[in-house]
Amino acid sequence: MNIDIAGLPSERIVFETSPLAELGLALHALSEPGHHPGLHGWATATGSALEPDLADRLHEAEFLWRNTFSDVFMAFAGVRGGDGRTGATLAEDLDILDRLDDERFVASALEFTCASLYGIGAPSPLSDPGMRARALDMAAARGPRQVEFTQQLLANPAPVRRWVRRLFEDCDEAFFADTWRRVQVQLVADARHKTDLLRRKGVGEALGAVSAALSLDESGSRISVDKMTEGSTTATDPSIGAGLTLIPSSFGWPHLMVLHAPGWRPVIHYPVHRPELPSPASVELLQLRMEALAHPLRMRLCRNLARSPYTTGELADSHNITAPEVSRHLSVLKKAGLVTTRRRGRYVLHQLDLTVVARLGSDFLEGVLR
């Protein structure tokens, strides 16, 4: 995924906090605790304390944040003629959401029905019969709650918008106000630190501090995001207020999300780094490692190398194959970073890197969820 920033002044790249964006990820963590093992305690305590009525309403609307993360939560990026600034409080963010026009609100709320068309600027289902039919068909595949929500939203957006705002306000009263007070200090500090880094050392350094999955090309004109999702957007379109916003999240890991809808200001929503979390493996490296382990002979070699160091000759003798053949397979494993090599006298010993292999499961999960 790429973001074009060619010619964009650095002052148009801003780090901000957003209570509404954080609420969206908090709701996602409640719905998908398996994505967020570090939040199990919070999710269990918060979920068990919800009043039944609020829990039911959250269940009704969870398609806004469970399978796809609706751009409703980052409305500041889509207000036509807006300045791209977030609200200081949830109430201010919700006021910004109210300023989002019906076409953009409906498209964002129905994102779960048109994810494959997200990056191409599809017509509004409010005015295009084909998109309307598609939205209803896709909602039907998800379930009756989604169909009812879609029908009501397409028939008359205003009551649904009021219902959604009231839902978020009730979440604030029930649990999020306390949660936001607890995480806000960290998020504000992170945004301030990244802003200072951007001003002193430039865009590349700031992006590197945000995530190892972000990189700036040599010309300084394009940001690459290492995700399995494909897409592109521009931060230099004057018609939508040129700029790029980066939003830190305490609830986000392992998700690194990029708002890249046409006509919206690009947004990178990133998890605040925690020292106990290792840097994520790139998608390319993850694929390389899984392909390396997919070969049956390399799997058998790994069985030896996991137990103790072996020379090439020992492995060849153990598996009744030639030393050059072993060397070719070891080369693949070493290129993938799965095997380490050290010399002992005139012998070269190879051993499986158990730490890297042990992380494959979590690397895979993080890669597909990023």
Side-chain angles (χ1 to χ4, degrees):
M1 182 175 292
N2 301 308
I3 304 173
D4 177 22
I5 61 168
L8 185 71
S10 62
E11 59 267 21
R12 301 293 297 174
I13 300 175
V14 297
F15 288 85
E16 298 198 356
T17 60
S18 168
L20 182 55
E22 193 70 353
L23 172 60
L25 280 174
L27 292 173
H28 173 74
L30 281 176
S31 297
E32 289 285 3
H35 291 188
H36 307 272
L39 297 174
H40 279 175
W42 176 87
T44 300
T46 301
S48 62
L50 292 176
E51 293 291 336
D53 173 68
L54 178 57
D56 288 344
R57 284 186 289 146
L58 288 176
H59 185 61
E60 288 179 32
E62 68 177 5
F63 48 83
L64 292 174
W65 55 78
R66 184 167 191 167
N67 300 317
T68 55
F69 189 77
S70 170
D71 289 343
V72 160
F73 293 104
M74 291 185 278
F76 66 88
V79 173
R80 300 181 197 273
D83 58 6
R85 303 305 297 269
T86 62
T89 65
L90 182 62
E92 290 183 11
D93 262 353
L94 292 175
D95 288 343
I96 296 172
L97 177 59
D98 287 343
R99 292 168 51 203
L100 198 66
D101 63 49
D102 280 348
E103 283 197 352
R104 291 197 165 183
F105 181 90
V106 169
S108 298
L110 296 183
E111 198 173 307
F112 72 97
T113 70
C114 57
S116 62
L117 304 176
Y118 177 86
I120 65 173
S124 169
L126 285 178
S127 56
D128 185 271
M131 285 301 297
R132 182 187 186 89
R134 174 188 171 86
L136 290 168
D137 285 345
M138 296 296 289
R142 292 295 180 92
R145 288 184 294 108
Q146 288 88 334
V147 172
E148 183 179 2
F149 179 88
T150 302
Q151 289 172 336
Q152 292 176 351
L153 188 60
L154 291 174
N156 188 2
V160 179
R161 296 185 67 154
R162 290 194 295 269
W163 184 87
V164 169
R165 175 166 182 144
R166 180 59 187 273
L167 175 65
F168 294 159
E169 289 172 338
D170 289 347
C171 287
D172 195 44
E173 182 177 346
F175 67 89
F176 186 68
D178 289 338
T179 299
W180 179 249
R181 277 193 293 270
R182 190 173 70 252
V183 304
Q184 182 184 18
V185 174
Q186 180 195 26
L187 299 184
V188 169
D190 185 85
R192 186 180 297 121
H193 169 67
K194 299 294 195 306
T195 299
D196 181 61
L197 196 60
L198 173 67
R199 301 294 177 251
R200 289 188 298 106
K201 297 191 174 182
V203 178
E205 288 286 338
L207 292 174
V210 167
S211 171
L214 298 178
S215 61
L216 186 67
D217 70 358
E218 291 183 0
S219 68
S221 62
R222 187 179 67 178
I223 298 171
S224 295
V225 188
D226 187 37
K227 287 172 64 75
M228 291 187 179
T229 303
E230 294 185 1
S232 62
T233 186
T234 178
T236 61
D237 186 351
S239 68
I240 56 173
L244 169 68
T245 301
L246 295 97
I247 306 286
S249 170
S250 181
F251 283 83
W253 189 89
H255 307 298
L256 175 69
M257 294 181 290
V258 180
L259 190 164
H260 62 284
W264 289 56
R265 179 187 181 95
V267 180
I268 298 175
H269 198 186
Y270 66 93
V272 172
H273 177 70
R274 301 204 303 270
E276 69 273 18
L277 296 175
S279 297
S282 69
V283 172
E284 181 182 5
L285 181 57
L286 176 61
Q287 182 177 343
L288 196 64
R289 286 173 174 171
M290 297 184 76
E291 289 175 350
L293 291 174
H295 194 285
L297 179 54
R298 287 197 286 271
M299 285 282 285
R300 292 197 295 273
L301 291 174
C302 286
R303 186 174 186 271
N304 296 92
L305 298 171
R307 286 165 167 75
S308 66
Y310 276 77
T311 67
T312 301
E314 288 174 326
L315 290 170
D317 184 66
S318 177
H319 293 274
N320 196 28
I321 57 177
T322 66
E325 188 174 358
V326 171
S327 294
R328 285 195 296 272
H329 286 296
L330 287 176
S331 177
V332 173
L333 292 169
K334 285 189 282 188
K335 185 177 180 181
L338 296 168
V339 167
T340 61
T341 300
R342 61 186 175 88
R343 180 173 293 277
R344 189 177 64 194
R346 62 190 183 92
Y347 296 102
V348 176
L349 299 172
H350 312 283
Q351 190 165 21
L352 195 67
D353 190 328
L354 298 180
T355 301
V356 170
V357 176
R359 268 196 52 81
L360 272 176
S362 57
D363 280 344
F364 174 75
L365 185 61
E366 183 177 348
V368 297
L369 293 177
R370 189 184 307 155

